[in-house]
Amino acid sequence: MRIGVLALQGAVREHLEMIENCGARGEAVKLPSGLNGINGLVIPGGESTTIGKLIEKYGFSDSLIKLGTSGVPVFGTCAGLILLAGRVLERRAPTLELADVTVKRNAFGRQVDSFEQDIRVSGIEDEDRPFRAVFIRAPVITEVGPGVEVMAGLEHGIVMARDRHYLMGAFHPELTGDKRIHQYFINMVSRACPGAA
Ligand code: GLN
C-alpha cells in the first residue's frame, strides 16, 4: 500500500516514519505527478497559508481535489485539517474545501503557542488508553455536518473527526511514538482498496 505525504512544507519526515512503522510504504509527494497511483494521502501540519499558496504555485489544486472526490482517503493534521475543511474562519489562502466541517485557526490563542494533553480518541485501537496529543498553534473544528463522526474534543472544540474518507486532527499525531492514529488511517486505506498489498 502506498501512502503519500504532501511534501510542500511542514512535518513530512515524521509522518513518513510513522507510515513505515505501520507497515505501509510512505512516499513524499513533491509534484502533482507523485499523486498518481497512491492509495492514501497525508496532508501534514505546518502553516496552512504557506501550504495553500504552494499548492497553487505547484499546480496541485485540481489533482488534490480530484484525488479526494474520487474516494482516496486523506488525513489532514493541523494545517492539513485547515486545508481539508469546507469552511475556514480567518482564511488567508485558498483551501481544498473537501470535508464538511468548519475550522477556526489558532483557536487556543497567541499566549498558548503549544501544549501537550492526554486526550481520548474514540475508534482507535485500545481507545480507553489516552493519546498524548501535541498541539502547536492548533485550529479546532467548530461545526460539523450531519455525517461527520466526532472522535475527540476539548473544551475549546472538536480536535479529531472523520467525514467519510477524510480524517482530520487538530494536533500532531506524528510527534509521539504512539502510532494508533496512523494505524487507524492505514486501516481506512486498506478498507478503501482491499486489493493493495
Ligand atoms: N496555525 C497554523 C495554521 O493556521 C497551523 C499550525 C500547525 O499546523 N501546527 O496554518
Side-chain angles (χ1 to χ4, degrees):
M1 226 161 40
R2 296 169 52 204
I3 312 283
V5 179
L6 188 65
L8 294 173
Q9 190 243 2
V12 175
R13 186 172 45 84
E14 294 86 349
H15 277 293
L16 290 171
E17 280 170 16
M18 277 292 205
I19 291 164
E20 302 272 336
N21 286 341
C22 292
R25 193 163 118 204
E27 294 177 20
V29 175
K30 295 188 172 143
L31 292 170
S33 58
L35 297 171
N36 293 336
I38 59 164
N39 307 112
L41 179 73
V42 174
I43 305 181
E47 172 52 50
S48 61
T49 308
T50 307
I51 300 177
K53 285 181 182 157
L54 291 172
I55 282 176
E56 290 236 302
K57 184 169 171 196
Y58 289 99
F60 266 103
S61 310
D62 288 350
S63 9
L64 284 172
I65 291 168
K66 215 183 274 171
L67 185 87
T69 51
S70 73
V72 171
V74 184
F75 179 19
T77 62
C78 207
L81 151 65
I82 296 167
L83 287 156
L84 274 182
R87 297 159 298 279
V88 180
L89 309 176
E90 292 176 46
R91 183 166 76 162
R92 299 252 150 71
T95 56
L96 303 169
E97 301 180 15
L98 288 168
D100 193 8
V101 300
T102 304
V103 298
K104 180 174 183 223
R105 297 182 59 211
N106 302 316
F108 296 91
R110 293 194 186 283
Q111 61 279 48
V112 188
D113 250 11
S114 63
F115 63 97
E116 292 184 19
Q117 188 161 326
D118 282 341
I119 61 169
R120 188 179 170 282
V121 182
S122 64
I124 62 170
E125 193 193 318
D126 199 5
E127 62 178 17
D128 290 327
R129 179 157 58 86
F131 190 95
R132 188 83 182 154
V134 181
F135 292 84
I136 305 171
R137 291 189 301 285
V140 289
I141 299 171
T142 55
E143 274 176 74
V144 297
V148 177
E149 179 192 346
V150 173
M151 297 171 67
L154 292 177
E155 62 275 24
H156 282 77
I158 296 162
V159 296
M160 181 124 208
R162 174 176 175 179
D163 174 20
R164 297 158 291 152
H165 56 293
Y166 301 119
L167 184 66
M168 295 159 280
F171 51 93
H172 283 257
E174 76 284 6
L175 294 183
T176 52
D178 196 336
K179 54 183 196 190
R180 286 178 291 162
I181 289 177
H182 284 80
Q183 192 62 62
Y184 178 93
F185 179 62
I186 305 282
N187 294 348
M188 273 172 66
V189 176
S190 16
R191 276 187 211 114
C193 56

